[in-house]
């Protein structure tokens, strides 16, 4: 088994910050994004890492960045054969890190939904649409939408992201850029979702991020991973209720079963839940890419 990494501490590099899952370092005009094996559930990071999770996330992102590079350029500079200055950290970086171009991030989360779930389902029940996009009446929870829709949200620096209308997106970043992001996001989603469905995974929705280098729009952050998307097992799909999560269902079921109040700190996970969850991440990788991890 490769190294399990809960957190990195690369003394010779400048830490830019840690997200729930990723540690990010700054190297001049580049960023080093390291996906650790941390897992969050109900928005809280769990104390128990999931072996292979970080590598799965990074390798899935790399697969999509490459496969969809004809739609939009992406930020990847290297994911192996890193520059010499990273040699001291090679064991921890292996398979889980991306060296990327640093861009000016566009402060909009580009969400695309092909199915109605989560905050979209709540919005629909209240308003008959999502983020101001009108939808037909009578949709059930988890139904497939007549066509995928673009439902942006703000990138909150603290707290939860907030869904906004397309008009609000235009007000924030201007019509030309808003329209470009919408059309790129929908194209990425359509292509990815066709591929995933053919391999037994429904991508119910996903979130893209983009950055600017001069006037060029660059696809940044992560690409269509289980952390940035809702993955559902296609074999169990049945609308009219919420769907099991492809990757996190064992964890959520366990945390519900023991009655955790969903406030930090989260309890540790038992070995069988860790093993089953690790298998699901590996399975997601295998289904999407067509070959086993390693
Ligand atoms: N190429 C890039 N150029 C500039 N910024 C980038 C690039 N790629 C990713 N980022 C930014 O790096 C940050 C990644 O943070 P990350 O998602 O790990 O944590 P977070 O958003 O702070 O918290 P959470 O874990 O809850 O998502 C995001 O703000 C993202 O926009
Ligand atoms: Mg983030």
């Amino acid at each position: 088994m490769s190294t399990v990494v809960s957190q990195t501490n690369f003394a010779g590099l400048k830490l830019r910050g840690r997200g729930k899952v990723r540690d990010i370092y700054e190297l001049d005009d580049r960023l080093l994004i390291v996906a650790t094996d941390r897992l969050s559930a109900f928005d809280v990071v769990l104390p128990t890492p999931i072996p292979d999770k970080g590598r799965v996330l990074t390798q899935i992102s790399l697969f999509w960045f490459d496969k969809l590079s004809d739609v939009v350029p992406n930020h990847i500079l290297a994911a192996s054969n890193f520059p010499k200055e990273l040699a001291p950290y090679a064991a921890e970086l292996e398979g889980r890190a991306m060296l990327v171009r640093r861009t000016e991030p566009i402060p909009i989360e580009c969400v695309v939904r092909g199915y109605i779930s989560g905050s979209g389902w709540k919005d629909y029940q209240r308003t008959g649409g999502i983020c101001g996009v009108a939808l037909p009446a009578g949709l059930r929870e988890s139904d497939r939408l007549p066509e995928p829709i673009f439902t942006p949200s703000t990138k909150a620096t603290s707290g939860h992201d907030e869904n906004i209308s397309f008009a609000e997106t235009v007000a924030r970043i201007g019509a030309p850029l808003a329209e470009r992001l919408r059309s790129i996001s929908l194209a990425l989603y359509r292509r990815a979702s066709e591929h995933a469905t053919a391999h037994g995974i429904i991508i119910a929705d996903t979130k893209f991020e983009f950055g600017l280098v001069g006037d060029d729009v660059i696809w940044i952050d992560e690409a269509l991973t289980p952390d940035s998307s809702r993955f559902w097992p296609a074999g169990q799909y049945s609308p009219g209720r919420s769907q099991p999560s492809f990757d996190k269902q064992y964890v959520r079921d366990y945390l519900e079963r023991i009655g955790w109040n969903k406030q930090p700190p989260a309890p540790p996970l038992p070995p069988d839940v860790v093993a089953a969850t690790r298998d699901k991440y590996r399975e997601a990788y295998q289904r999407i890419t067509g070959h086993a991890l390693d």
Side-chain angles (χ1 to χ4, degrees):
M1 198 192 288
S2 64
T3 329
V4 178
V5 174
S6 286
Q7 191 183 88
T8 61
N9 289 289
F10 299 152
L13 300 181
K14 183 172 176 209
L15 182 69
R16 180 198 214 215
R18 299 183 206 281
K20 286 199 280 290
V21 172
R22 292 171 299 163
D23 294 349
I24 302 186
Y25 294 85
E26 285 176 10
L27 291 88
D28 51 74
D29 58 346
R30 298 163 298 175
L31 298 175
L32 180 69
I33 303 184
V34 187
T36 70
D37 297 316
R38 297 194 291 270
L39 173 93
S40 71
F42 306 111
D43 266 349
V44 180
V45 177
L46 305 186
T48 317
I50 306 294
D52 291 333
K53 178 180 179 245
R55 290 196 301 143
V56 164
L57 292 192
T58 297
Q59 297 305 315
I60 288 180
S61 278
L62 292 170
F63 172 83
W64 292 120
F65 278 134
D66 181 56
K67 187 177 178 67
L68 302 174
S69 60
D70 59 322
V71 178
V72 60
N74 62 65
H75 65 167
I76 300 295
L77 295 170
S80 58
N81 301 316
F82 291 119
K84 280 201 300 295
E85 57 203 296
L86 298 183
Y89 320 112
E92 281 167 280
L93 296 180
E94 169 119 54
R96 69 173 74 250
M98 315 186 293
L99 187 64
V100 306
R101 283 174 84 172
R102 195 200 295 210
T103 69
E104 188 59 52
I106 301 166
I108 297 287
E109 310 243 298
C110 293
V111 177
V112 178
R113 298 167 192 269
Y115 293 74
I116 187 163
S117 176
S119 69
W121 171 239
K122 289 201 189 106
D123 196 0
Y124 175 76
Q125 288 173 289
R126 223 175 36 238
T127 68
I130 305 178
C131 290
V133 180
L135 292 170
L139 292 176
R140 297 160 299 173
E141 182 175 12
S142 308
D143 259 334
R144 185 173 183 187
L145 297 171
E147 56 182 356
I149 57 172
F150 180 64
T151 60
S153 63
T154 59
K155 278 181 66 164
T157 36
S158 65
H160 278 287
D161 300 340
E162 187 194 341
N163 290 350
I164 55 174
S165 65
F166 188 70
E168 174 64 23
T169 308
V170 167
R172 288 169 183 243
I173 61 171
L177 188 55
E179 275 157 25
R180 225 160 128 209
L181 296 189
R182 177 171 62 184
S183 102
I184 293 169
S185 299
L186 289 169
L188 291 174
Y189 176 81
R190 278 180 203 282
R191 286 267 301 274
S193 138
E194 231 166 75
H195 174 90
T197 312
H199 296 87
I201 293 178
I202 292 174
I203 302 176
D205 50 42
T206 192
K207 177 211 67 175
F208 302 109
E209 292 187 36
F210 301 95
L212 291 172
V213 175
D215 289 337
D216 294 334
V217 172
I218 312 281
W219 183 10
I220 65 170
D221 208 56
E222 59 187 321
L224 294 143
T225 70
D227 275 8
S228 66
S229 321
R230 274 196 184 85
F231 281 17
W232 292 340
Q236 284 156 255
Y237 174 62
S238 108
R241 55 168 172 81
S242 68
Q243 305 300 297
S245 154
F246 194 95
D247 47 303
K248 287 188 183 169
Q249 203 57 42
Y250 288 108
V251 174
R252 291 189 189 149
D253 289 350
Y254 171 76
L255 294 172
E256 300 277 10
R257 197 159 64 236
I258 64 168
W260 174 49
N261 64 2
K262 300 179 187 166
Q263 299 306 312
L269 298 175
D272 60 315
V273 175
V274 172
T277 301
R278 173 179 182 236
D279 286 349
K280 293 308 284 184
Y281 279 102
R282 294 181 60 100
E283 183 188 345
Y285 173 83
Q286 175 147 13
R287 284 194 187 218
I288 286 168
T289 67
H291 51 86
L293 189 71
D294 288 326

